[in-house]
Amino acid sequence: MSQLNREAPWDAFDPQAYVEHNYKTVIQEDREIVSIVRAHFADHFRTRPDRPARGIDVGAGANLYPAFTMLPWCDEITLLDRSPRNELYLRAQQQSYDPGWDAFWELLCADAAYASLPGGPRKRFSEVTRVRRGDLFALRDRREHWSVGTMFFVAESLSTSRDEFQEAVECFLLALTPGAPFAAAFMEHSSGYDVGATHFPACNVGEEEIEAAIAVDAVGISMFRVGQPDAVRPGYTSMIVACGFRGTGR
Ligand SMILES: C[S@@+](CC[C@H](N)C(=O)[O-])C[C@H]1O[C@@H](n2cnc3c(N)ncnc32)[C@H](O)[C@@H]1O
């Protein structure tokens, strides 16, 4: 069944059920993803004078670790999501995040920039994050606003539409300043996913289509396949992580 983004039941997205299923413990896929993104951002920012950066995690939902990967480099991180319950979850986490997220921060501490973060991650997360309920497609009006960005399991997990997948990738990348580093994660060939008892749609895209969508507005792209088919749930072939830099083309 085809389902557009505006037709999916985002008001029913249950962040507790989502965390329980996906982020209750650190799994091998998380380890790999964190180490890929940590290296990408640390390599970039270590040599950059243009800090502090302004970050955005698009479709943040009930996952804090994409924002964690940007924490040492940013004085502001927007956490954008369209679901009201995810907004409430993120606002509560902003006050003081659940102890379960500490294990994800620990993975990042393999790099000294994270391990030596002044004041520690909890205080920093609370100070720099800005929770915003909103539609990523409206990022069209915020071109070149953020200087680092993440978008994890969103563009392919918001509808069945190939056009909306491509538009989501485009909106994410064009919201970044030229040269900005980014990391994006995808479920390859996803058939949709359940959060608690509610089903959410996905767009069936493979690694080549993902890379092609990113390449329109990015340079220096590295693609990584992470994990085995159906490891965290039925109905996908691999997790895909893409790292790169917003291009200067348009
Ligand atoms: C599969 S979840 C991914 C959540 C999180 N980024 C992660 O890594 O687990 C997809 C997220 O996209 C959000 N979302 C769906 N459509 C959106 C839109 N148009 N604008 C912003 N967020 C959207 C949902 O509310 C949900 O939190």
Side-chain angles (χ1 to χ4, degrees), residues 5 10 13 18 23 57-63 66 80-83 86 134-137 151-154 157-158 193:
N5 185 242
W10 302 111
F13 197 104
Y18 188 78
Y23 302 119
D57 183 28
V58 173
N63 182 7
L80 177 73
D81 201 279
R82 78 171 292 166
S83 149
N86 283 341
D135 182 354
L136 67 84
F137 296 114
M151 181 170 68
F152 277 31
F153 310 118
V154 175
S157 295
L158 52 68
Y193 56 103

Side-chain angles (χ1 to χ4, degrees), residues 141-219:
D141 303 326
R142 304 297 299 277
R143 280 182 75 135
E144 302 186 8
H145 189 75
W146 287 274
S147 47
V148 56
T150 52
M151 181 170 68
F152 277 31
F153 310 118
V154 175
E156 81 299 353
S157 295
L158 52 68
S159 80
T160 57
S161 161
R162 189 73 54 99
D163 287 348
E164 287 192 332
F165 161 74
Q166 279 174 341
E167 193 182 342
V169 171
E170 180 184 324
C171 284
F172 167 59
L173 290 173
L174 292 182
L176 304 179
T177 51
F182 69 85
F186 305 85
M187 301 298 268
E188 186 189 42
H189 295 308
S190 174
S191 58
Y193 56 103
D194 293 335
V195 180
T198 310
H199 186 74
F200 289 89
C203 173
N204 180 352
V205 281
E207 182 175 354
E208 286 182 9
E209 292 153 291
I210 293 168
E211 185 167 7
I214 291 169
V216 176
D217 291 302
V219 294

Side-chain angles (χ1 to χ4, degrees), residues 37-52:
V37 180
R38 181 187 64 213
H40 182 54
F41 288 159
D43 287 351
H44 174 78
F45 284 109
R46 197 174 287 127
T47 57
R48 299 294 295 194
D50 58 351
R51 288 159 58 183

Side-chain angles (χ1 to χ4, degrees), residues 7-237:
E7 298 167 338
W10 302 111
D11 289 0
F13 197 104
D14 178 348
Q16 271 75 30
Y18 188 78
V19 171
E20 180 74 17
H21 183 78
N22 294 291
Y23 302 119
K24 195 176 173 194
T25 57
V26 174
I27 60 172
Q28 183 55 29
E29 284 86 339
D30 297 317
R31 290 180 195 284
E32 288 181 41
I33 293 171
V34 166
S35 78
I36 291 165
V37 180
R38 181 187 64 213
H40 182 54
F41 288 159
D43 287 351
H44 174 78
F45 284 109
R46 197 174 287 127
T47 57
R48 299 294 295 194
D50 58 351
R51 288 159 58 183
R54 183 192 285 167
I56 183 168
D57 183 28
V58 173
N63 182 7
L64 306 194
Y65 85 70
F68 284 177
T69 66
M70 296 186 277
L71 218 44
W73 329 110
C74 295
D75 62 355
E76 191 185 306
I77 301 175
T78 299
L79 306 179
L80 177 73
D81 201 279
R82 78 171 292 166
S83 149
R85 293 174 73 183
N86 283 341
E87 180 197 8
L88 289 178
Y89 176 84
L90 289 166
R91 289 195 188 283
Q93 297 301 307
Q94 194 179 33
Q95 298 301 309
S96 178
Y97 57 73
D98 295 337
W101 293 108
D102 289 332
F104 292 87
W105 178 258
E106 286 303 315
L107 298 177
L108 287 161
C109 289
D111 186 288
Y114 295 88
S116 64
L117 187 65
R122 195 167 284 278
K123 182 165 171 285
R124 181 69 160 240
F125 184 83
S126 165
E127 285 172 354
V128 307
T129 51
R130 311 275 182 270
V131 179
R132 297 276 179 267
R133 177 138 68 95
D135 182 354
L136 67 84
F137 296 114
L139 290 175
R140 286 209 168 281
D141 303 326
R142 304 297 299 277
R143 280 182 75 135
E144 302 186 8
H145 189 75
W146 287 274
S147 47
V148 56
T150 52
M151 181 170 68
F152 277 31
F153 310 118
V154 175
E156 81 299 353
S157 295
L158 52 68
S159 80
T160 57
S161 161
R162 189 73 54 99
D163 287 348
E164 287 192 332
F165 161 74
Q166 279 174 341
E167 193 182 342
V169 171
E170 180 184 324
C171 284
F172 167 59
L173 290 173
L174 292 182
L176 304 179
T177 51
F182 69 85
F186 305 85
M187 301 298 268
E188 186 189 42
H189 295 308
S190 174
S191 58
Y193 56 103
D194 293 335
V195 180
T198 310
H199 186 74
F200 289 89
C203 173
N204 180 352
V205 281
E207 182 175 354
E208 286 182 9
E209 292 153 291
I210 293 168
E211 185 167 7
I214 291 169
V216 176
D217 291 302
V219 294
I221 303 165
S222 301
M223 303 288 291
F224 304 86
R225 299 184 73 80
V226 175
Q228 300 301 314
D230 301 340
V232 299
R233 63 164 173 78
Y236 72 100
T237 51

